[in-house]
Every structure is written in structure tokens, then in C-alpha cells.
């Protein structure tokens, strides 16, 4: 799966320039995308409604919690 990655920015809007950070981000997101695709395909093969599994994956991402906020 080929992903179009955005220009990553920090909370102040500054561009992240660290090549290693960008590499890790790309690898993590590619892995996540493949896992989501696999789960989606498995759900379809098991007879789940496509729209329902997509909606669940979206809600899963929206429910992510930042453990670093005070």
C-alpha cells in the first residue's frame, strides 16, 4: 500500500525536519495502514458490512488518547 504522507508539523506549525523521525513516522503509518487493510478484508470475508467496519475503524482512530498531555 502506497501512502501519500503529509509534511509533518509540530503543535506550533513548524515543519519536522529530522529525517529519522520522519522515517519512523512513515514506517509506523505504513504498518498501521496494512493492519487496517487486513482487518477490513477479513471483516468483509466474514460477512460484515463494509460501511460498518469502515465507520468502526474511523471511530477507533478518533478515540485515540494522548498520554503525554497534562
Amino acid at each position: 500500500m502506497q501512502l501519500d504522507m503529509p509534511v509533518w508539523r509540530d503543535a506550533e506549525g513548524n515543519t519536522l525536519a529530522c529525517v529519522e523521525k520522519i522515517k519512523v513516522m512513515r514506517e509506523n503509518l505504513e504498518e498501521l495502514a496494512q493492519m487496517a487493510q487486513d482487518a477490513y478484508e477479513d471483516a468483509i470475508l466474514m460477512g460484515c458490512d463494509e460501511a460498518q467496519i469502515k465507520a468502526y475503524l474511523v471511530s477507533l482512530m478518533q478515540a485515540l488518547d494522548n498520554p503525554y498531555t497534562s
Side-chain angles (χ1 to χ4, degrees):
M1 174 179 297
Q2 183 66 27
L3 300 177
D4 288 332
M5 294 287 170
V7 173
W8 297 109
R9 300 186 183 283
D10 65 16
E12 287 78 38
N14 300 310
T15 302
L16 294 181
C18 176
V19 174
E20 192 60 32
K21 287 179 182 179
I22 295 168
K23 178 183 172 190
V24 169
M25 186 68 124
R26 172 178 280 287
E27 290 171 355
N28 287 345
L29 292 174
E30 286 174 347
E31 183 178 344
L32 180 61
Q34 187 58 56
M35 289 174 62
Q37 182 66 41
D38 291 346
Y40 177 67
E41 290 173 12
D42 287 348
I44 292 170
L45 289 172
M46 290 184 268
C48 292
D49 178 67
E50 290 181 49
Q52 183 182 17
I53 189 64
K54 280 186 176 183
Y56 180 77
L57 291 170
V58 168
S59 68
L60 187 69
M61 294 298 106
Q62 291 174 335
L64 292 175
D65 183 47
N66 180 352
Y68 305 110
T69 57
S70 50

